Amino acid sequence: MDQKVLREAYAAFPSGVVALCALVDGEPVGMAASSFVAVSIEPPLVAFCVQHTSTTWPRLAGLARIGVSVLGESHDRAARTLAARTGNRFEGVTTEVTEAGSVFVGDSSAWLDCSVQDQVTAGDHDIVVLRVHALHAVPGVEPLVFHGSAFRKLRQLTSD
């Protein structure tokens, strides 16, 4: 199958963007993901997909807690920074840290304090299921959307 055409087809589906972050040896480590999904209410589970080539996920995978921040429309720069392969991923990003080591991005629409429940190999990615231990939601923060290989903002349609 033509990988370029497949990527274009996948890019036709809009998704939200999350930051997955935690302290590693006292320093924040994080990554962005647009393959995030709610899985279960009871027990509270969410999931995301990560490429096998990720150098960040192996640093986070074994930690007791990982902070998941649902990024808002003001986080387009933070999402790019957190997705970068080089440089300081937290440059210009406001964060809060829990005692357990979860790192959250400020002004996000939701924070989920999670641990890894399961990890399943799926092609060139792993599907990571996270258990939610605590959360905080901020209604009214509009989401950052990834669509067509670009970050976008939602706009409400007006009725005619």
Side-chain angles (χ1 to χ4, degrees):
M1 186 169 293
D2 185 320
Q3 287 188 5
K4 183 178 184 252
V5 174
L6 187 58
R7 284 181 193 271
E8 288 172 355
Y10 288 171
F13 184 75
S15 63
V17 184
V18 298
L20 297 112
C21 309
L23 290 182
V24 177
D25 298 326
E27 295 294 322
V29 172
M31 59 187 280
S34 61
S35 57
F36 178 78
V37 63
V39 175
S40 171
I41 298 291
E42 187 55 46
L45 302 173
V46 294
F48 75 100
C49 298
V50 61
Q51 284 185 312
H52 292 158
T53 58
S54 172
T55 57
T56 304
W57 178 243
R59 297 179 68 200
L60 295 170
L63 298 176
R65 292 295 169 91
I66 299 168
V68 177
S69 301
V70 180
L71 300 182
E73 67 180 12
S74 68
H75 291 116
D76 55 329
R77 175 171 275 149
R80 282 190 247 297
T81 303
L82 286 162
R85 294 198 181 274
T86 60
N88 177 359
R89 290 188 178 177
F90 290 89
E91 186 174 332
V93 177
T94 303
T95 60
E96 291 193 30
V97 182
T98 68
E99 286 184 25
S102 295
V103 175
F104 296 106
V105 175
D107 298 323
S108 295
S109 62
W111 291 348
L112 297 91
D113 193 16
C114 299
S115 63
V116 176
Q117 172 104 7
D118 201 4
Q119 191 164 317
V120 179
T121 299
D124 58 3
H125 281 65
D126 283 338
I127 301 167
V128 181
V129 179
L130 301 171
R131 174 113 189 196
V132 180
H133 297 281
L135 58 87
H136 174 72
V138 181
V141 175
E142 295 295 325
L144 181 64
V145 177
F146 191 67
H147 177 255
S149 299
F151 295 112
R152 302 176 189 273
K153 297 177 182 182
L154 288 180
R155 65 183 172 98
Q156 189 168 349
L157 295 176
T158 57
S159 58
D160 292 344

